[in-house]
Amino acid sequence: LSLQYAINDTISLGVGGMYMTSDETIKDFIEAGDPFFNRNEYEISAQSVNLRGDFAIDGQIMEDTYVFSAIISNQTVKVENVFFNEIGKAEALLGTLLVGYHWMWEQFNINLAGGINTAISEKYSFENVTGVDDSDVDGISTGFALEFGMGIAF
């Protein structure tokens, strides 16, 4: 879900977020009759919160135009193995720069953009019955970003 507000003809600011959860049961019976040591039940959740700014490069934000976007987001993924009581968690603060095109029809719009996604800060943790192992990742990791969006302007 994302909400954006056009502060003038060429700039819009927005906030967004996402939450996903899934309960997956994976059963591996490697040896018949011994299901205890080969059973895994996972609970998976992911969430993201972001702030963004969009700038219309050659037109107005509510028209067909090329758009430059800057996004900062915090993303968290958690995987819990219910059967063995283990929890893995990854968290990252990301900065994204995108250039793309924005199509506008009356109130309906579509955008397609590509760019660079950089993890400014990354943290990983793993917890089981023996304790917690936390680690920060040194350095900055960078990758490609692709964005496709649809929306309604009102």
Side-chain angles (χ1 to χ4, degrees), residues 14-147:
V15 296
M18 177 274 300
Y19 179 78
M20 176 197 78
T21 185
S22 174
D23 295 332
E24 296 292 330
T25 301
I26 302 168
K27 297 179 183 178
D28 294 325
F29 299 104
I30 297 171
E31 296 179 20
D34 188 12
F36 179 76
F37 292 106
N38 299 313
R39 180 179 169 149
N40 289 309
E41 296 179 24
Y42 294 99
E43 292 180 4
I44 303 166
S45 64
Q47 62 188 25
S48 173
V49 177
N50 68 61
L51 299 172
R52 73 180 294 146
D54 296 315
F55 174 73
I57 296 171
D58 67 344
Q60 294 185 0
I61 206 75
M62 297 297 285
E63 298 176 352
D64 292 359
T65 187
Y66 287 96
V67 176
F68 172 77
S69 302
I71 305 166
I72 188 159
S73 62
N74 184 25
Q75 299 181 357
T76 304
V77 176
K78 179 179 164 186
V79 178
E80 182 175 356
N81 184 319
V82 178
F83 194 72
F84 290 108
N85 196 25
E86 298 173 328
I87 299 171
K89 187 176 179 182
E91 185 174 354
L93 180 63
L94 304 171
T96 306
L97 298 176
L98 300 169
V99 175
Y101 199 77
H102 176 85
W103 292 269
M104 189 78 184
W105 298 274
E106 299 294 323
Q107 293 180 315
F108 179 72
N109 62 75
I110 293 177
N111 68 295
L112 180 63
I116 296 174
N117 196 19
T118 300
I120 301 164
S121 168
E122 297 174 277
K123 294 182 181 181
Y124 300 94
S125 68
F126 178 75
E127 179 181 348
N128 61 17
V129 293
T130 63
V132 178
D133 177 26
D134 287 327
S135 62
D136 291 335
V137 177
D138 292 332
I140 295 176
S141 58
T142 301
F144 293 105
L146 182 63
E147 179 182 70

